[in-house]
Structures are given as structure tokens and as C-alpha cells.
Amino acid sequence: MAVPDRQRGPVPATVQDVAARAGVSVATVSRALRGLPNVAPATRSRVLAAAAELRYRPDPNASRLAAGRSHAIGIAMPFVGQWYFAQVLAGVEAVLAGAGYDLLVYAAATPEGGRRFLADALPVRKRVDGLILVDLPLLQEEVGPWADSGVRLVSVGQRSDPFPSVGIDDEAAAHLAVSHLLDLGHRDVALIGAAPPGAHDFGLTVPAARQGGYERALEERGIPVRSELLAPAAFDVGLAATAMDQLLRGPVRPTAVFATSDEMAMGAIGMARSLGLDVPADVSVVGFDDHDLAAAGGLTTVRQSPVDIGSWAAELLLDELRTGVVEPRHVLAPVELMVRQTTAPPRTP
Amino acid sequence: MAVPDRQRGPVPATVQDVAARAGVSVATVSRALRGLPNVAPATRSRVLAAAAELRYRPDPNASRLAAGRSHAIGIAMPFVGQWYFAQVLAGVEAVLAGAGYDLLVYAAATPEGGRRFLADALPVRKRVDGLILVDLPLLQEEVGPWADSGVRLVSVGQRSDPFPSVGIDDEAAAHLAVSHLLDLGHRDVALIGAAPPGAHDFGLTVPAARQGGYERALEERGIPVRSELLAPAAFDVGLAATAMDQLLRGPVRPTAVFATSDEMAMGAIGMARSLGLDVPADVSVVGFDDHDLAAAGGLTTVRQSPVDIGSWAAELLLDELRTGVVEPRHVLAPVELMVRQTTAPPRTP
DNA sequence: ATGAAAGCGCTAACAG
DNA sequence: CTGTTAGCGCTTTCAT
């Protein structure tokens, strides 16, 4: 038996082989291939030619071990299957692929899972040079360990000072959405996606910020915030539908609803319609995100571009990795109100 | 200056440290920590204790280099942002995280990108032990190089013989959807998501298989397939809306439409409604996938569970990696017709 | 059951 | 500008 089952085919070439073929030392090969200075042009092209002929590919693990850098970055988030997260991931992936970095994905799945992940930097160190945290709340006491770990952090959405971040102004965006409803004449505006009790325990700020914008918009018009109109729904379509059902049967029936994600908005609209109500005639709904399906559904919403947000986060991280400089910038991504067909003035009684 | 900016904090412990602390050799530490046999129970617990005290974490790169295995798997797909792919990714991630494997993500973005990725196995070898190909068509001549590369392959959706795969029976699923429409009495049934000209050049079989099921259902009832009712839309919401627009204005106005993804179905429905038509009274629409938003939208569709498909693919791959045995199985995942509110009998004229 | 020692393939001083 | 030479931290024969 000549070869063990795996690993057939031509034995991969190593730096040694390339060096021999080019008639130089391995050090020169390493320099030439990585584009470092202090290599004579003629030598470099000889090395390049030899490498090409041998179809040489550096072993990433050997170089990671020797250099202490992985040329990989990680992205950690609550779920990979939800629209927003998948979009951010897409944006990150595109930038990293272009830069020749590997992308590792970590999903937290539950708040506890997120806590466990953030609580210990050791498992990821040496695996990635940097990490993008998407809507995962870093606690104050975890900052030090991560800073010491050598893993560069950038956060998306949820901010994690003192690390750089990319995201939108959630408070202002929510204010924009709710003001649109108020401008139309609504006064009984419900919030689907309110900050749930306990969210603060996990340090989540996004739901709270959006609720803050909702409250400010109401208060600016002298409309009191009523807890009966506040429904948490954990960014889940089904829970949003249930919440809508209860709101519509509740003591004060809202004439309009602000859902803090388009997925929740669609769940709410579906419920309203299955209850025989017309949207927007009977109840207006404004969402958040501008989901790929929002336009098709005629959904009025606040648009953000998670793909861009992901791209910027990746670029921020790559910059930091390349320059070594940590600029604790906070990039604010734009939002825009997209008025479509799910909002209208309240029915005049 | 005591320490270089990066890499502060306690210097990470190595096997050497653990060995010293436990009073054994590094070889024994290595064996004990990995649960290999031939380690006295007492010794093992001493090593475990020492490792815990030192907060030891093996350096993945060193072990990859020495052992020649990465304990990482990759997933390659056309897009990470689309619902189906994001779900598959979620399923894969969950299984791998549980198994302690790293997950690397590669997106092809274009057919050409996919071709380039598949054309050369070298870049991923040593990075991952296995690779899950989602709807990426491997050409015959690429099989050998991948088999030789040592990277284990499993495909999802699009099949890549002789490698194992997980997926649904696209032909049968489409047949199910279209038969539902025919059972309702429709005869002019359009297909949004037809195999585009050129798809075959890339070896894509999924659109063709779904179209095959559509055609068979019609033929079984003696209904001729008319090319005017066949519209490609590249799994894109906007293109589907455009296609719907043209179909509804075309020579033979369909009374029903089968869209090969829910996203396309929703685009089509949105267009129909904005044209003042009622769904399903004026035109029935059946989708494909059972997207998270399908139920909320009352969309009739063929359900599949991409999360499960991803999980199974990951498990297949892990089995193969652990046992070394390649069982060229083809796992067929279930589908189910979900009849909701977007389909009804054609209006009787 | 345990230890000694030889690498895995590459990078990074340090010389020259 | 180029070569020599240590390692990086772990796994794995081969002894014992």
C-alpha cells in the first residue's frame, strides 16, 4: 500500500521545495511571496515562478503558528438565520474574502450562550485576530480580558465601549417611525418589540433605545406612554402575531403599531388581516429594517443597510489589524423612512 | 516598556507548563487532555487539574500543524444573505459548535465565483477537514482534485456525485405544488423561477428539477407546457415581481403561478396586488420553502426545513471525519404542502 | 503507562 | 539583498 487513504495526489510543495527550485533560501522565499521589501526584483520573480510551477500554497497553520497571527476574523451573533444577522454576515464576508481573511462564525443562540461566549476570550484567541460582535452585550468586567487577549474587537449594533462600533442611531430611527404615525394623526400607537423585562440584565441596549425613541416621540406631542400598548416580542414573527392579537383585543385598541423589525411587522399584519381587519384602514403598521420582502409587501418601514454595516465593521477591523492603531470610532450608519402602503391616517369615527 | 501593545495579560500556558505542574511529560499531557487511552486515571486527573489551574488552552494552530487536521469545516454557498442559505448555515453552525469544530464561511456570489472556488481545492486544504457545498455544482473534472485534496465533501441541494449529499426531491416537491393548483382546477399555470438559459452551463440542477416537476404535473393532465408561461427570476424578489407583471400582461394570462421560492412568490403577490388584482381570487400563488414569513403572509407553499438539512449535512461530514468511512449516501429530506390562503379555484367566468 | 525526541512548515531575528 | 538558525506549541513514533 503506497499511500494512506487520505492525502493522495501530489505531495504539497513547501517553502523548501520552492527555495530549492528558485535557488534561494527559505527566508527569501517567505519574503518574496509575502511582498516584503528587501528582495531583488529578479529574485522575486524567480521565486514567484518557482512557486507557480510547484502550485505552492503556504500552509496557513504553519504560518499562523510561526507568525502568531491567524489572518482570520470571527463574527459572533445571536442567530445566523435571522434576516438582519444574515445580511451583516454577508457584508462582512464580502470584505474579508476580498482581503484574503478567513471568516469564522459563532452563534450564541441564547442570552446565556452569548454570556458564556463573551465571558471567556481564551477559546477564540489564536483562532482569530479580530472579532465582530453583533448585538452581543459585553459587560464592563469583560472588557479587560478581551483587551488583554490580543483579539481586536469591533461591535455592531449593540455598542461595547471602549471598542469601536458600527450601527445606527436606534433611538432616532424609532423616533422617525413613530413620528410618521403621529404625523398621520394617530394617538394610540402600540409598540411591538418593547424592551422585555430582563433585557437589561443582559445589557441589551437596542430594544431599549428603540423604545426610548418611541416614548420621546409620544412625549413630544404630549401623549402619555401607556404600558398596555407596550408588547415585547423578542424579534420573533410568531410572538409578534400573538402580541398583535392581544393588542387588538385589549382595553385600548391601537390605531397604529410600530414594530421594531419588519419580520415582527409582517407577523402583526398577518394577524390583523386574519382577524378581518384592513391594513392600513383599520390599523397602520410601520416596521424597521427594510427587509428584502418589505417592498413587495408594501410595508412602511425605517430602512437600514445591514450589509453595509457589516462591510464597514469588517473594514474597521482590518484597518486596525493592519495599522495596529485602535481608533475607537463609532460609525453611524444612515436610516431612512420608507413610506409605503401599510400606514395611513386613522379612520375618522 | 514592559510589554508590546498586543498580547498583554498572563502569558498563555503551554503543554510544557501543564506538564511541569503535573509532574509528567508533555506527551502524557497531550494524551490525557485528548482522552486517549493508556493514561493512568490518577495521572489523567492530575493533568486535568493542572490544566484547569493554569487555564490552559491548546493552541489550535500548533495542533493543526502537528496533527495535520484542522478540526474546522467550511461551508460554501452562492449567497449568505438569502433565507434558504442562512437557514442551512444556522443548522450547520449548531451542529459544529456542539462538536467543537470551527466553521468557515465562503460565499461565491456569482456563478463565476462558484466556478473559481470549486476549480481549485488547494486554497482550502489545511484550512478545513471538510467542506459543505450548498447548491454549488461540481464539475466532473473537479471531482478528482477534491478527492485527492483530502478535504471531505458533502453537498446540499445540488448533488455532486460521488460525494454524499442531503437535499429534497426537487422534482417531486414541484410536482406537489403544481398538482395542488391543478387539483383546484387551474389550467393556465405559470412558472416563476424557470431554469434560465445558461443555467445548465453552470451545471445547476435545482431549477431544472423544479421545472421538471412542473412540466410532469401538467403533462399528467394533458396540459401542454407553454413557454410564454415560463419565467426565470434567479431567486430574486424584484425579478419575480417583474416576471409577474409581464405574465399578467402577456398573451395568456395565468390564473395561477408556481414560484420556486417563497421570496419570489411574495414578490409576485406584491406585484399582483399593486396591479389591483386579488390573490387568490384573481390569481393563485404557491411558493416554495415555507419561509419564516410565509405563514404570516398566508402563503401556500411547499415546506422544507433547511435548518435540518444543514444539520444533517454537518453530521454526515462529522461522521465521515471521525470514522474515516465515506458512505456515499444521499439523504432525502421531507417536504410538505402547506395549503394556506393564496391558492383557490380559478374564478369561473 | 510514560518519556524522549523528532518533526509539522513557516517566520523572524540576526548575521553577513 | 540574502542566508542561517532558532523556535512557534503540539503530536507522534519509538523506546522503556
Side-chain angles (χ1 to χ4, degrees):
Chain A
M1 199 176 73
V3 275
D5 191 0
R6 278 187 63 136
Q7 181 108 359
R8 287 163 298 179
V11 174
T14 71
V15 260
Q16 312 275 3
D17 302 324
V18 178
R21 176 132 194 168
V24 297
S25 73
V26 294
T28 299
V29 170
S30 181
R31 293 183 196 110
L33 259 25
R34 286 179 301 148
L36 297 188
N38 293 338
V39 179
T43 309
R44 190 185 303 272
S45 47
R46 205 142 32 85
V47 170
L48 257 29
E53 286 160 14
L54 297 173
R55 311 211 61 197
Y56 169 74
R57 296 287 187 283
D59 181 321
N61 301 313
S63 93
R64 284 165 178 165
L65 178 60
R69 313 186 343 100
S70 65
H71 271 262
I73 80 107
I75 182 169
M77 49 198 177
F79 307 99
V80 327
Q82 278 186 10
W83 184 81
Y84 174 82
F85 298 111
Q87 302 305 307
V88 172
L89 180 55
V92 169
E93 196 282 335
V95 170
L96 293 185
Y101 270 68
D102 281 344
L103 205 213
L104 306 216
V105 175
Y106 302 96
T110 62
E112 295 74 18
R115 284 263 55 80
R116 216 173 313 124
F117 182 85
L118 296 175
D120 190 3
L122 294 176
V124 300
R125 77 165 300 178
K126 296 286 188 180
R127 276 171 212 283
V128 299
D129 296 333
L131 184 63
I132 295 176
L133 257 27
V134 189
D135 282 347
L136 289 178
L138 196 65
L139 299 182
Q140 200 51 52
E141 64 260 37
E142 293 161 345
V143 168
W146 280 98
D148 289 348
S149 75
V151 176
R152 307 294 224 200
L153 251 42
V154 166
S155 66
V156 165
Q158 169 81 33
R159 221 144 122 167
S160 297
D161 291 313
F163 303 105
S165 72
V166 182
I168 59 173
D169 183 335
D170 285 288
E171 203 271 352
H175 181 268
L176 186 64
V178 176
S179 293
H180 165 62
L181 293 171
L182 299 177
D183 286 344
L184 288 170
H186 293 278
R187 289 188 57 88
D188 300 321
V189 179
L191 174 67
I192 291 185
H200 203 270
D201 303 348
F202 291 116
L204 283 171
T205 59
V206 171
R210 293 188 188 173
Q211 178 165 343
Y214 161 88
E215 294 180 353
R216 178 164 62 87
L218 292 181
E219 284 158 6
E220 279 174 2
R221 319 258 176 155
I223 303 173
V225 173
R226 277 171 303 180
S227 62
E228 315 91 84
L229 294 182
L230 264 29
F235 292 95
D236 178 87
V237 193
L239 292 178
T242 304
M244 185 65 159
D245 186 40
Q246 290 175 347
L247 285 167
L248 293 175
R249 298 175 193 282
V252 267
R253 195 174 115 176
T255 62
V257 172
F258 167 43
T260 59
S261 84
D262 283 351
E263 281 152 305
M264 291 192 288
M266 305 225 203
I269 290 171
M271 176 55 72
R273 291 195 171 135
S274 77
L275 254 30
L277 297 178
D278 183 86
V279 175
D282 296 311
V283 57
S284 284
V285 176
V286 52
F288 199 110
D289 276 346
D290 201 23
H291 189 286
D292 286 332
L293 293 174
L299 182 66
T300 293
T301 191
V302 177
R303 154 175 247 164
Q304 64 171 327
S305 299
V307 172
D308 293 335
I309 291 175
S311 300
W312 292 332
E315 268 155 10
L316 220 54
L317 196 46
L318 289 180
D319 271 0
E320 200 174 308
L321 256 16
R322 287 194 270 245
T323 65
V325 189
V326 192
E327 253 192 283
R329 309 180 249 176
H330 294 285
V331 178
L332 219 50
V335 298
E336 182 185 0
L337 181 67
M338 308 294 290
V339 178
R340 290 197 272 244
Q341 293 87 49
T342 56
T343 48
R347 184 161 259 161
T348 44
Chain B
M1 198 177 71
V3 274
D5 192 359
R6 278 187 62 136
Q7 181 107 358
R8 288 163 297 179
V11 174
T14 71
V15 260
Q16 313 275 3
D17 303 323
V18 178
R21 176 132 195 167
V24 296
S25 73
V26 294
T28 299
V29 170
S30 180
R31 292 185 196 109
L33 258 25
R34 285 178 303 147
L36 295 187
N38 293 337
V39 179
T43 310
R44 190 185 304 273
S45 47
R46 204 141 33 84
V47 171
L48 256 30
E53 286 159 14
L54 297 173
R55 309 210 62 197
Y56 169 74
R57 295 288 187 281
D59 181 321
N61 301 313
S63 88
R64 284 165 178 166
L65 178 59
R69 313 184 345 100
S70 65
H71 271 261
I73 80 109
I75 182 168
M77 49 197 176
F79 307 99
V80 326
Q82 278 186 12
W83 184 82
Y84 174 83
F85 298 110
Q87 303 305 307
V88 172
L89 180 55
V92 170
E93 196 282 336
V95 170
L96 294 185
Y101 270 67
D102 280 344
L103 204 213
L104 306 219
V105 175
Y106 301 96
T110 62
E112 294 74 19
R115 283 263 56 79
R116 215 173 314 122
F117 183 85
L118 296 175
D120 191 2
L122 294 176
V124 301
R125 76 165 300 176
K126 297 286 186 180
R127 277 172 212 282
V128 299
D129 296 333
L131 184 63
I132 294 176
L133 256 29
V134 188
D135 282 347
L136 289 177
L138 196 65
L139 299 183
Q140 200 51 51
E141 64 261 35
E142 292 161 347
V143 168
W146 280 99
D148 289 349
S149 75
V151 175
R152 308 293 218 191
L153 251 44
V154 166
S155 66
V156 165
Q158 169 81 34
R159 222 145 122 167
S160 298
D161 291 312
F163 303 106
S165 72
V166 183
I168 58 172
D169 183 336
D170 286 288
E171 203 272 351
H175 180 268
L176 186 65
V178 177
S179 294
H180 165 62
L181 293 171
L182 298 177
D183 286 345
L184 288 170
H186 293 279
R187 290 188 56 87
D188 300 320
V189 179
L191 174 67
I192 292 185
H200 203 270
D201 304 348
F202 290 116
L204 283 171
T205 59
V206 172
R210 293 187 188 173
Q211 178 165 343
Y214 161 87
E215 294 180 354
R216 178 163 63 88
L218 291 181
E219 283 158 6
E220 280 173 3
R221 319 257 175 156
I223 303 172
V225 173
R226 277 172 304 181
S227 62
E228 315 91 84
L229 293 181
L230 265 27
F235 291 95
D236 179 87
V237 193
L239 291 179
T242 304
M244 185 66 159
D245 186 40
Q246 290 175 348
L247 285 167
L248 293 175
R249 299 175 193 283
V252 266
R253 195 174 116 177
T255 63
V257 172
F258 167 44
T260 59
S261 85
D262 284 351
E263 281 152 305
M264 290 191 288
M266 305 224 202
I269 290 171
M271 176 54 71
R273 291 195 171 136
S274 77
L275 253 30
L277 297 178
D278 184 86
V279 175
D282 296 312
V283 57
S284 284
V285 176
V286 52
F288 199 110
D289 277 346
D290 200 23
H291 190 287
D292 286 332
L293 293 174
L299 181 65
T300 293
T301 191
V302 177
R303 155 175 246 164
Q304 65 171 327
S305 299
V307 173
D308 293 335
I309 291 175
S311 300
W312 292 331
E315 269 155 9
L316 219 55
L317 196 46
L318 290 180
D319 271 0
E320 200 175 307
L321 256 16
R322 288 194 270 243
T323 66
V325 190
V326 191
E327 252 192 284
R329 309 180 248 177
H330 294 285
V331 178
L332 218 52
V335 297
E336 182 186 1
L337 181 67
M338 308 295 289
V339 178
R340 291 197 272 243
Q341 294 87 48
T342 56
T343 48
R347 183 162 260 161
T348 44

